[in-house]
């Protein structure tokens, strides 16, 4: 059984938990608690876990005894002094109500072909689970999940090197840093070309990140561990005072969260020149300030279209970026590559200058959006679509590249446009009005899933109302009212 088959088998176990009302994201978190214990056993690191809570303690129990033991395990491991155990199990709770379901999942994990899984790489297995979670409409986890192929192209072009400090201030499940580590390993014969001191740096200091959401932080920690990366992954908010100490990086690779801060509040940073509630603009400020001012430090950041054209503070931040950095390339990404419909994004590539003024002389823009097919689960984004961009980006003389998607704008031209970077898209009157409509089959599948969810919620409401003897009135329990409202919202969609 290869890793792909193992991922599918583990994923299918989620069906066991449907009666427990567990979401896909909860399932992946639950799997992480259990897989951590099993993988520690398989990799010889079980010694760090108290003996009474090791994997075999789960396999030898069943029924209520198993459920109570598992709940106590989660509670106690979260209080251990071992930092890794803390990161995985702090505030961990189980969403599994039925002991028989817990028993079935544990047994299924125990029966998997772990020899072959280790041969192919446990990290790849876990990444496969995370990608599967992101690709499922119901999970919601993939709303802005960065496609693996896009991460790999970005890492290839930015080219992290041994000895460089790489960072992701919005780490998610740590995908950018894992790809950066893989890239450096490929350049160094899996680190065998490096000295022992250099290897220690790569494993413990080269790759770091920050993640705001605790459950996602758990997944990032697990992902890093299984790829033999032991750099610091902080649980916190980069846009708070925490971020003020995160600086002097050689490479930053990231896809910050979209939207505004909750309640429209502004970032709680004292070192930002420009204040705004737009999270992406704040992350952009943080990123170019966090790079070493040595002319070599570089970044690639995925940002939505509004960052390119927003006026006021947005224009001030873009101007500051082009002063402090050489913003040499913008890649206009196609729509549909993120799991949220219609999200329009770009990748900004820039190097921090040695001075704070006049670093951007010209900006090259590649339009990978116009006249592109509709991407989705049935038509996935592949590296072949990036070949023209890679050729243009890496050309010794960019002006000699013959590609209608590839255009250059001087700093003066950009200034005349009010420092808007909403540039470089090809005007094409032949575009059909249906060009960017979502795949009809995918849309139908998504609609069916939403209806299925609505029916499930309605059935829950009916069952709970039947359990109440008195007639249904507006005095009904708030829990039922909430479900009715939730069902109504699903039906509207």
């Amino acid at each position: 059984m290869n890793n792909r088959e193992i991922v599918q088998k583990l994923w299918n176990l989620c069906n066991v938990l449907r009666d427990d009302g567990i979401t896909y994201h909860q399932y992946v978190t639950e799997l992480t608690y259990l897989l951590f214990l099993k993988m520690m056993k398989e990799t010889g690191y079980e010694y760090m876990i108290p003996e009474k809570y090791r994997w075999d303690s789960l396999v030898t129990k069943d029924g209520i005894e198993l459920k109570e033991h598992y709940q106590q395990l989660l509670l106690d491991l979260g209080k251990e002094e071992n930092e890794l155990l803390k990161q995985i199990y702090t505030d961990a709770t189980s969403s599994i109500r039925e002991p028989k379901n817990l028993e079935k999942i544990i047994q299924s994990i125990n029966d998997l072909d772990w020899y072959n899984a280790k041969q192919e790489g446990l990290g790849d297995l876990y990444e496969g689970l995370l990608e599967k979670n992101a690709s499922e409409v119901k999970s919601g986890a993939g709303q802005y999940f960065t496609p693996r192929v896009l991460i790999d192209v970005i890492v290839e072009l930015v080219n992290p090197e041994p000895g460089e400090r790489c960072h992701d201030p919005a780490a998610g499940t740590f995908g950018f840093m894992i790809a950066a580590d893989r890239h450096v390993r490929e350049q160094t014969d899996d680190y065998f070309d490096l000295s022992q001191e250099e290897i220690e740096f790569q494993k413990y200091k080269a790759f770091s990140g920050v993640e705001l959401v605790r459950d996602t932080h758990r997944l990032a920690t697990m992902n890093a561990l299984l790829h033999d990366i032991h750099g610091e992954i902080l649980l916190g908010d980069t846009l708070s005072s925490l971020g003020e100490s995160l600086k002097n990086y050689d490479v930053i690779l990231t896809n910050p969260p979209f939207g505004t801060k909750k309640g429209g509040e502004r970032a709680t940073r004292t070192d930002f020149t420009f204040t705004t509630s737009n999270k992406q603009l704040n992350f952009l400020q943080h990123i170019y300030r966090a790079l070493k001012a040595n002319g070599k430090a570089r970044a690639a950041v995925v940002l939505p279209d509004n960052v390119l054209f927003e006026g006021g503070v947005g224009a001030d931040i873009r101007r500051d970026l082009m002063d402090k950095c050489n913003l040499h390339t913008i890649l206009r990404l196609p729509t549909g590559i993120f799991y949220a419909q219609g999200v329009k994004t770009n990748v900004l590539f820039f190097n921090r200058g040695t001075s704070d003024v006049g670093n951007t002389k010209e900006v090259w823009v590649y339009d990978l959006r116009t006249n592109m097919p509709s991407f989705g689960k049935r038509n996935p984004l592949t590296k072949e679509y990036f070949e023209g961009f890679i050729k243009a980006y890496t050309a010794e003389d960019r002006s000699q590249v013959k590609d209608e998607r590839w255009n250059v704008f001087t700093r003066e031209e950009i200034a005349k446009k009010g420092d808007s970077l909403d540039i470089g898209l090809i005007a094409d009157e032949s575009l059909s009005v249906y060009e960017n409509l979502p795949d009809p089959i995918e849309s139908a599948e998504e609609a069916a899933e939403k209806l299925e969810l609505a029916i499930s919620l309605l059935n829950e409401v009916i069952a709970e109302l039947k359990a109440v003897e008195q007639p249904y009135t507006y005095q009904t329990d708030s829990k039922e009212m909430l479900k009715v409202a939730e069902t109504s919202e699903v039906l509207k969609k």
Side-chain angles (χ1 to χ4, degrees), residues 38-55:
K38 178 61 175 171
M39 290 175 174
M40 290 301 97
K41 177 184 169 90
E42 295 296 328
T43 53
Y45 287 101
E46 206 172 28
Y47 63 85
M48 69 172 62
I49 302 167
E51 190 171 352
K52 65 178 179 178
Y53 292 137
R54 292 175 187 174
W55 177 253

mmCIF file with all atom_site columns, all heavy atoms in Angstrom, residues 38-55:
data_model
loop_
_atom_site.group_PDB
_atom_site.id
_atom_site.type_symbol
_atom_site.label_atom_id
_atom_site.label_alt_id
_atom_site.label_comp_id
_atom_site.label_asym_id
_atom_site.label_entity_id
_atom_site.label_seq_id
_atom_site.pdbx_PDB_ins_code
_atom_site.Cartn_x
_atom_site.Cartn_y
_atom_site.Cartn_z
_atom_site.occupancy
_atom_site.B_iso_or_equiv
_atom_site.pdbx_formal_charge
_atom_site.auth_seq_id
_atom_site.auth_comp_id
_atom_site.auth_asym_id
_atom_site.auth_atom_id
_atom_site.pdbx_PDB_model_num
ATOM 1   N N   . LYS A 1 38 ? 1.207  7.080  17.219 1.00 0.00 ? 38 LYS A N   1
ATOM 2   C CA  . LYS A 1 38 ? 1.622  5.942  16.390 1.00 0.00 ? 38 LYS A CA  1
ATOM 3   C C   . LYS A 1 38 ? 2.959  6.204  15.707 1.00 0.00 ? 38 LYS A C   1
ATOM 4   O O   . LYS A 1 38 ? 3.829  5.329  15.643 1.00 0.00 ? 38 LYS A O   1
ATOM 5   C CB  . LYS A 1 38 ? 0.532  5.666  15.342 1.00 0.00 ? 38 LYS A CB  1
ATOM 6   C CG  . LYS A 1 38 ? 0.855  4.523  14.381 1.00 0.00 ? 38 LYS A CG  1
ATOM 7   C CD  . LYS A 1 38 ? 1.041  3.201  15.088 1.00 0.00 ? 38 LYS A CD  1
ATOM 8   C CE  . LYS A 1 38 ? 1.231  2.068  14.084 1.00 0.00 ? 38 LYS A CE  1
ATOM 9   N NZ  . LYS A 1 38 ? 1.633  0.812  14.746 1.00 0.00 ? 38 LYS A NZ  1
ATOM 10  N N   . MET A 1 39 ? 3.132  7.428  15.194 1.00 0.00 ? 39 MET A N   1
ATOM 11  C CA  . MET A 1 39 ? 4.371  7.744  14.477 1.00 0.00 ? 39 MET A CA  1
ATOM 12  C C   . MET A 1 39 ? 5.562  7.830  15.418 1.00 0.00 ? 39 MET A C   1
ATOM 13  O O   . MET A 1 39 ? 6.689  7.548  15.031 1.00 0.00 ? 39 MET A O   1
ATOM 14  C CB  . MET A 1 39 ? 4.188  9.023  13.666 1.00 0.00 ? 39 MET A CB  1
ATOM 15  C CG  . MET A 1 39 ? 3.254  8.831  12.472 1.00 0.00 ? 39 MET A CG  1
ATOM 16  S SD  . MET A 1 39 ? 2.914  10.362 11.581 1.00 0.00 ? 39 MET A SD  1
ATOM 17  C CE  . MET A 1 39 ? 1.955  9.744  10.183 1.00 0.00 ? 39 MET A CE  1
ATOM 18  N N   . MET A 1 40 ? 5.338  8.242  16.676 1.00 0.00 ? 40 MET A N   1
ATOM 19  C CA  . MET A 1 40 ? 6.419  8.233  17.659 1.00 0.00 ? 40 MET A CA  1
ATOM 20  C C   . MET A 1 40 ? 6.898  6.805  17.916 1.00 0.00 ? 40 MET A C   1
ATOM 21  O O   . MET A 1 40 ? 8.085  6.547  18.070 1.00 0.00 ? 40 MET A O   1
ATOM 22  C CB  . MET A 1 40 ? 5.958  8.874  18.976 1.00 0.00 ? 40 MET A CB  1
ATOM 23  C CG  . MET A 1 40 ? 5.730  10.380 18.923 1.00 0.00 ? 40 MET A CG  1
ATOM 24  S SD  . MET A 1 40 ? 7.197  11.344 18.449 1.00 0.00 ? 40 MET A SD  1
ATOM 25  C CE  . MET A 1 40 ? 6.878  11.584 16.688 1.00 0.00 ? 40 MET A CE  1
ATOM 26  N N   . LYS A 1 41 ? 5.952  5.889  17.919 1.00 0.00 ? 41 LYS A N   1
ATOM 27  C CA  . LYS A 1 41 ? 6.301  4.478  18.086 1.00 0.00 ? 41 LYS A CA  1
ATOM 28  C C   . LYS A 1 41 ? 7.084  3.974  16.874 1.00 0.00 ? 41 LYS A C   1
ATOM 29  O O   . LYS A 1 41 ? 8.104  3.291  17.009 1.00 0.00 ? 41 LYS A O   1
ATOM 30  C CB  . LYS A 1 41 ? 5.026  3.642  18.266 1.00 0.00 ? 41 LYS A CB  1
ATOM 31  C CG  . LYS A 1 41 ? 5.268  2.137  18.369 1.00 0.00 ? 41 LYS A CG  1
ATOM 32  C CD  . LYS A 1 41 ? 3.945  1.373  18.451 1.00 0.00 ? 41 LYS A CD  1
ATOM 33  C CE  . LYS A 1 41 ? 4.193  -0.114 18.285 1.00 0.00 ? 41 LYS A CE  1
ATOM 34  N NZ  . LYS A 1 41 ? 4.436  -0.818 19.511 1.00 0.00 ? 41 LYS A NZ  1
ATOM 35  N N   . GLU A 1 42 ? 6.615  4.337  15.674 1.00 0.00 ? 42 GLU A N   1
ATOM 36  C CA  . GLU A 1 42 ? 7.233  3.843  14.445 1.00 0.00 ? 42 GLU A CA  1
ATOM 37  C C   . GLU A 1 42 ? 8.628  4.429  14.208 1.00 0.00 ? 42 GLU A C   1
ATOM 38  O O   . GLU A 1 42 ? 9.463  3.816  13.562 1.00 0.00 ? 42 GLU A O   1
ATOM 39  C CB  . GLU A 1 42 ? 6.334  4.158  13.243 1.00 0.00 ? 42 GLU A CB  1
ATOM 40  C CG  . GLU A 1 42 ? 4.997  3.441  13.249 1.00 0.00 ? 42 GLU A CG  1
ATOM 41  C CD  . GLU A 1 42 ? 5.130  1.933  13.149 1.00 0.00 ? 42 GLU A CD  1
ATOM 42  O OE1 . GLU A 1 42 ? 6.079  1.463  12.493 1.00 0.00 ? 42 GLU A OE1 1
ATOM 43  O OE2 . GLU A 1 42 ? 4.298  1.227  13.743 1.00 0.00 ? 42 GLU A OE2 1
ATOM 44  N N   . THR A 1 43 ? 8.872  5.642  14.712 1.00 0.00 ? 43 THR A N   1
ATOM 45  C CA  . THR A 1 43 ? 10.152 6.318  14.447 1.00 0.00 ? 43 THR A CA  1
ATOM 46  C C   . THR A 1 43 ? 11.136 6.242  15.620 1.00 0.00 ? 43 THR A C   1
ATOM 47  O O   . THR A 1 43 ? 12.218 6.818  15.565 1.00 0.00 ? 43 THR A O   1
ATOM 48  C CB  . THR A 1 43 ? 9.907  7.807  14.097 1.00 0.00 ? 43 THR A CB  1
ATOM 49  O OG1 . THR A 1 43 ? 9.112  8.416  15.134 1.00 0.00 ? 43 THR A OG1 1
ATOM 50  C CG2 . THR A 1 43 ? 9.161  7.929  12.779 1.00 0.00 ? 43 THR A CG2 1
ATOM 51  N N   . GLY A 1 44 ? 10.738 5.551  16.689 1.00 0.00 ? 44 GLY A N   1
ATOM 52  C CA  . GLY A 1 44 ? 11.664 5.358  17.807 1.00 0.00 ? 44 GLY A CA  1
ATOM 53  C C   . GLY A 1 44 ? 11.748 6.509  18.784 1.00 0.00 ? 44 GLY A C   1
ATOM 54  O O   . GLY A 1 44 ? 12.687 6.592  19.573 1.00 0.00 ? 44 GLY A O   1
ATOM 55  N N   . TYR A 1 45 ? 10.763 7.428  18.762 1.00 0.00 ? 45 TYR A N   1
ATOM 56  C CA  . TYR A 1 45 ? 10.778 8.571  19.680 1.00 0.00 ? 45 TYR A CA  1
ATOM 57  C C   . TYR A 1 45 ? 9.751  8.419  20.809 1.00 0.00 ? 45 TYR A C   1
ATOM 58  O O   . TYR A 1 45 ? 9.427  9.371  21.496 1.00 0.00 ? 45 TYR A O   1
ATOM 59  C CB  . TYR A 1 45 ? 10.487 9.871  18.923 1.00 0.00 ? 45 TYR A CB  1
ATOM 60  C CG  . TYR A 1 45 ? 11.646 10.329 18.061 1.00 0.00 ? 45 TYR A CG  1
ATOM 61  C CD1 . TYR A 1 45 ? 11.640 10.105 16.681 1.00 0.00 ? 45 TYR A CD1 1
ATOM 62  C CD2 . TYR A 1 45 ? 12.746 10.989 18.622 1.00 0.00 ? 45 TYR A CD2 1
ATOM 63  C CE1 . TYR A 1 45 ? 12.698 10.520 15.889 1.00 0.00 ? 45 TYR A CE1 1
ATOM 64  C CE2 . TYR A 1 45 ? 13.803 11.404 17.837 1.00 0.00 ? 45 TYR A CE2 1
ATOM 65  C CZ  . TYR A 1 45 ? 13.773 11.170 16.465 1.00 0.00 ? 45 TYR A CZ  1
ATOM 66  O OH  . TYR A 1 45 ? 14.825 11.577 15.690 1.00 0.00 ? 45 TYR A OH  1
ATOM 67  N N   . GLU A 1 46 ? 9.265  7.192  20.997 1.00 0.00 ? 46 GLU A N   1
ATOM 68  C CA  . GLU A 1 46 ? 8.203  6.967  21.966 1.00 0.00 ? 46 GLU A CA  1
ATOM 69  C C   . GLU A 1 46 ? 8.656  7.238  23.403 1.00 0.00 ? 46 GLU A C   1
ATOM 70  O O   . GLU A 1 46 ? 7.824  7.463  24.288 1.00 0.00 ? 46 GLU A O   1
ATOM 71  C CB  . GLU A 1 46 ? 7.689  5.528  21.845 1.00 0.00 ? 46 GLU A CB  1
ATOM 72  C CG  . GLU A 1 46 ? 6.267  5.346  22.302 1.00 0.00 ? 46 GLU A CG  1
ATOM 73  C CD  . GLU A 1 46 ? 5.730  3.964  21.985 1.00 0.00 ? 46 GLU A CD  1
ATOM 74  O OE1 . GLU A 1 46 ? 6.510  3.005  21.915 1.00 0.00 ? 46 GLU A OE1 1
ATOM 75  O OE2 . GLU A 1 46 ? 4.507  3.855  21.819 1.00 0.00 ? 46 GLU A OE2 1
ATOM 76  N N   . TYR A 1 47 ? 9.966  7.255  23.603 1.00 0.00 ? 47 TYR A N   1
ATOM 77  C CA  . TYR A 1 47 ? 10.496 7.468  24.959 1.00 0.00 ? 47 TYR A CA  1
ATOM 78  C C   . TYR A 1 47 ? 10.073 8.811  25.545 1.00 0.00 ? 47 TYR A C   1
ATOM 79  O O   . TYR A 1 47 ? 10.029 8.982  26.773 1.00 0.00 ? 47 TYR A O   1
ATOM 80  C CB  . TYR A 1 47 ? 12.028 7.378  24.950 1.00 0.00 ? 47 TYR A CB  1
ATOM 81  C CG  . TYR A 1 47 ? 12.704 8.446  24.114 1.00 0.00 ? 47 TYR A CG  1
ATOM 82  C CD1 . TYR A 1 47 ? 12.969 9.711  24.650 1.00 0.00 ? 47 TYR A CD1 1
ATOM 83  C CD2 . TYR A 1 47 ? 13.056 8.202  22.789 1.00 0.00 ? 47 TYR A CD2 1
ATOM 84  C CE1 . TYR A 1 47 ? 13.571 10.691 23.890 1.00 0.00 ? 47 TYR A CE1 1
ATOM 85  C CE2 . TYR A 1 47 ? 13.650 9.178  22.021 1.00 0.00 ? 47 TYR A CE2 1
ATOM 86  C CZ  . TYR A 1 47 ? 13.910 10.419 22.568 1.00 0.00 ? 47 TYR A CZ  1
ATOM 87  O OH  . TYR A 1 47 ? 14.498 11.394 21.810 1.00 0.00 ? 47 TYR A OH  1
ATOM 88  N N   . MET A 1 48 ? 9.737  9.780  24.696 1.00 0.00 ? 48 MET A N   1
ATOM 89  C CA  . MET A 1 48 ? 9.373  11.107 25.211 1.00 0.00 ? 48 MET A CA  1
ATOM 90  C C   . MET A 1 48 ? 7.929  11.143 25.746 1.00 0.00 ? 48 MET A C   1
ATOM 91  O O   . MET A 1 48 ? 7.522  12.112 26.364 1.00 0.00 ? 48 MET A O   1
ATOM 92  C CB  . MET A 1 48 ? 9.553  12.181 24.124 1.00 0.00 ? 48 MET A CB  1
ATOM 93  C CG  . MET A 1 48 ? 8.571  12.089 22.979 1.00 0.00 ? 48 MET A CG  1
ATOM 94  S SD  . MET A 1 48 ? 8.688  13.517 21.835 1.00 0.00 ? 48 MET A SD  1
ATOM 95  C CE  . MET A 1 48 ? 10.357 13.360 21.222 1.00 0.00 ? 48 MET A CE  1
ATOM 96  N N   . ILE A 1 49 ? 7.184  10.075 25.510 1.00 0.00 ? 49 ILE A N   1
ATOM 97  C CA  . ILE A 1 49 ? 5.792  9.991  25.964 1.00 0.00 ? 49 ILE A CA  1
ATOM 98  C C   . ILE A 1 49 ? 5.717  9.123  27.211 1.00 0.00 ? 49 ILE A C   1
ATOM 99  O O   . ILE A 1 49 ? 6.315  8.037  27.240 1.00 0.00 ? 49 ILE A O   1
ATOM 100 C CB  . ILE A 1 49 ? 4.902  9.388  24.851 1.00 0.00 ? 49 ILE A CB  1
ATOM 101 C CG1 . ILE A 1 49 ? 4.985  10.234 23.578 1.00 0.00 ? 49 ILE A CG1 1
ATOM 102 C CG2 . ILE A 1 49 ? 3.452  9.265  25.311 1.00 0.00 ? 49 ILE A CG2 1
ATOM 103 C CD1 . ILE A 1 49 ? 4.402  9.570  22.350 1.00 0.00 ? 49 ILE A CD1 1
ATOM 104 N N   . PRO A 1 50 ? 5.018  9.557  28.266 1.00 0.00 ? 50 PRO A N   1
ATOM 105 C CA  . PRO A 1 50 ? 4.856  8.706  29.459 1.00 0.00 ? 50 PRO A CA  1
ATOM 106 C C   . PRO A 1 50 ? 4.339  7.324  29.052 1.00 0.00 ? 50 PRO A C   1
ATOM 107 O O   . PRO A 1 50 ? 3.449  7.205  28.194 1.00 0.00 ? 50 PRO A O   1
ATOM 108 C CB  . PRO A 1 50 ? 3.812  9.463  30.289 1.00 0.00 ? 50 PRO A CB  1
ATOM 109 C CG  . PRO A 1 50 ? 3.964  10.886 29.880 1.00 0.00 ? 50 PRO A CG  1
ATOM 110 C CD  . PRO A 1 50 ? 4.337  10.851 28.417 1.00 0.00 ? 50 PRO A CD  1
ATOM 111 N N   . GLU A 1 51 ? 4.898  6.291  29.662 1.00 0.00 ? 51 GLU A N   1
ATOM 112 C CA  . GLU A 1 51 ? 4.606  4.916  29.233 1.00 0.00 ? 51 GLU A CA  1
ATOM 113 C C   . GLU A 1 51 ? 3.107  4.593  29.210 1.00 0.00 ? 51 GLU A C   1
ATOM 114 O O   . GLU A 1 51 ? 2.608  3.921  28.312 1.00 0.00 ? 51 GLU A O   1
ATOM 115 C CB  . GLU A 1 51 ? 5.342  3.927  30.147 1.00 0.00 ? 51 GLU A CB  1
ATOM 116 C CG  . GLU A 1 51 ? 5.290  2.499  29.636 1.00 0.00 ? 51 GLU A CG  1
ATOM 117 C CD  . GLU A 1 51 ? 6.203  1.575  30.418 1.00 0.00 ? 51 GLU A CD  1
ATOM 118 O OE1 . GLU A 1 51 ? 6.994  2.078  31.258 1.00 0.00 ? 51 GLU A OE1 1
ATOM 119 O OE2 . GLU A 1 51 ? 6.113  0.356  30.195 1.00 0.00 ? 51 GLU A OE2 1
ATOM 120 N N   . LYS A 1 52 ? 2.375  5.099  30.184 1.00 0.00 ? 52 LYS A N   1
ATOM 121 C CA  . LYS A 1 52 ? 0.952  4.744  30.262 1.00 0.00 ? 52 LYS A CA  1
ATOM 122 C C   . LYS A 1 52 ? 0.113  5.379  29.163 1.00 0.00 ? 52 LYS A C   1
ATOM 123 O O   . LYS A 1 52 ? -1.061 5.025  28.997 1.00 0.00 ? 52 LYS A O   1
ATOM 124 C CB  . LYS A 1 52 ? 0.389  5.137  31.626 1.00 0.00 ? 52 LYS A CB  1
ATOM 125 C CG  . LYS A 1 52 ? 0.369  6.637  31.907 1.00 0.00 ? 52 LYS A CG  1
ATOM 126 C CD  . LYS A 1 52 ? -0.267 6.892  33.277 1.00 0.00 ? 52 LYS A CD  1
ATOM 127 C CE  . LYS A 1 52 ? -0.285 8.386  33.617 1.00 0.00 ? 52 LYS A CE  1
ATOM 128 N NZ  . LYS A 1 52 ? -0.939 8.643  34.915 1.00 0.00 ? 52 LYS A NZ  1
ATOM 129 N N   . TYR A 1 53 ? 0.728  6.337  28.397 1.00 0.00 ? 53 TYR A N   1
ATOM 130 C CA  . TYR A 1 53 ? -0.022 6.995  27.331 1.00 0.00 ? 53 TYR A CA  1
ATOM 131 C C   . TYR A 1 53 ? 0.545  6.702  25.933 1.00 0.00 ? 53 TYR A C   1
ATOM 132 O O   . TYR A 1 53 ? 0.207  7.385  24.974 1.00 0.00 ? 53 TYR A O   1
ATOM 133 C CB  . TYR A 1 53 ? -0.060 8.501  27.564 1.00 0.00 ? 53 TYR A CB  1
ATOM 134 C CG  . TYR A 1 53 ? -0.885 8.902  28.768 1.00 0.00 ? 53 TYR A CG  1
ATOM 135 C CD1 . TYR A 1 53 ? -0.431 9.874  29.655 1.00 0.00 ? 53 TYR A CD1 1
ATOM 136 C CD2 . TYR A 1 53 ? -2.119 8.308  29.020 1.00 0.00 ? 53 TYR A CD2 1
ATOM 137 C CE1 . TYR A 1 53 ? -1.181 10.239 30.765 1.00 0.00 ? 53 TYR A CE1 1
ATOM 138 C CE2 . TYR A 1 53 ? -2.875 8.660  30.122 1.00 0.00 ? 53 TYR A CE2 1
ATOM 139 C CZ  . TYR A 1 53 ? -2.403 9.621  30.992 1.00 0.00 ? 53 TYR A CZ  1
ATOM 140 O OH  . TYR A 1 53 ? -3.152 9.972  32.084 1.00 0.00 ? 53 TYR A OH  1
ATOM 141 N N   . ARG A 1 54 ? 1.400  5.703  25.828 1.00 0.00 ? 54 ARG A N   1
ATOM 142 C CA  . ARG A 1 54 ? 1.953  5.360  24.522 1.00 0.00 ? 54 ARG A CA  1
ATOM 143 C C   . ARG A 1 54 ? 0.905  4.632  23.669 1.00 0.00 ? 54 ARG A C   1
ATOM 144 O O   . ARG A 1 54 ? -0.143 4.228  24.162 1.00 0.00 ? 54 ARG A O   1
ATOM 145 C CB  . ARG A 1 54 ? 3.228  4.522  24.694 1.00 0.00 ? 54 ARG A CB  1
ATOM 146 C CG  . ARG A 1 54 ? 4.361  5.337  25.309 1.00 0.00 ? 54 ARG A CG  1
ATOM 147 C CD  . ARG A 1 54 ? 5.594  4.515  25.613 1.00 0.00 ? 54 ARG A CD  1
ATOM 148 N NE  . ARG A 1 54 ? 6.567  5.322  26.354 1.00 0.00 ? 54 ARG A NE  1
ATOM 149 C CZ  . ARG A 1 54 ? 7.696  4.860  26.875 1.00 0.00 ? 54 ARG A CZ  1
ATOM 150 N NH1 . ARG A 1 54 ? 8.000  3.570  26.739 1.00 0.00 ? 54 ARG A NH1 1
ATOM 151 N NH2 . ARG A 1 54 ? 8.513  5.666  27.528 1.00 0.00 ? 54 ARG A NH2 1
ATOM 152 N N   . TRP A 1 55 ? 1.236  4.466  22.390 1.00 0.00 ? 55 TRP A N   1
ATOM 153 C CA  . TRP A 1 55 ? 0.272  3.931  21.432 1.00 0.00 ? 55 TRP A CA  1
ATOM 154 C C   . TRP A 1 55 ? -0.389 2.622  21.887 1.00 0.00 ? 55 TRP A C   1
ATOM 155 O O   . TRP A 1 55 ? -1.599 2.448  21.776 1.00 0.00 ? 55 TRP A O   1
ATOM 156 C CB  . TRP A 1 55 ? 0.944  3.735  20.070 1.00 0.00 ? 55 TRP A CB  1
ATOM 157 C CG  . TRP A 1 55 ? 0.032  3.113  19.060 1.00 0.00 ? 55 TRP A CG  1
ATOM 158 C CD1 . TRP A 1 55 ? 0.076  1.846  18.571 1.00 0.00 ? 55 TRP A CD1 1
ATOM 159 C CD2 . TRP A 1 55 ? -1.103 3.730  18.436 1.00 0.00 ? 55 TRP A CD2 1
ATOM 160 N NE1 . TRP A 1 55 ? -0.940 1.622  17.682 1.00 0.00 ? 55 TRP A NE1 1
ATOM 161 C CE2 . TRP A 1 55 ? -1.685 2.767  17.576 1.00 0.00 ? 55 TRP A CE2 1
ATOM 162 C CE3 . TRP A 1 55 ? -1.693 4.997  18.510 1.00 0.00 ? 55 TRP A CE3 1
ATOM 163 C CZ2 . TRP A 1 55 ? -2.813 3.023  16.807 1.00 0.00 ? 55 TRP A CZ2 1
ATOM 164 C CZ3 . TRP A 1 55 ? -2.818 5.256  17.751 1.00 0.00 ? 55 TRP A CZ3 1
ATOM 165 C CH2 . TRP A 1 55 ? -3.369 4.289  16.911 1.00 0.00 ? 55 TRP A CH2 1
#
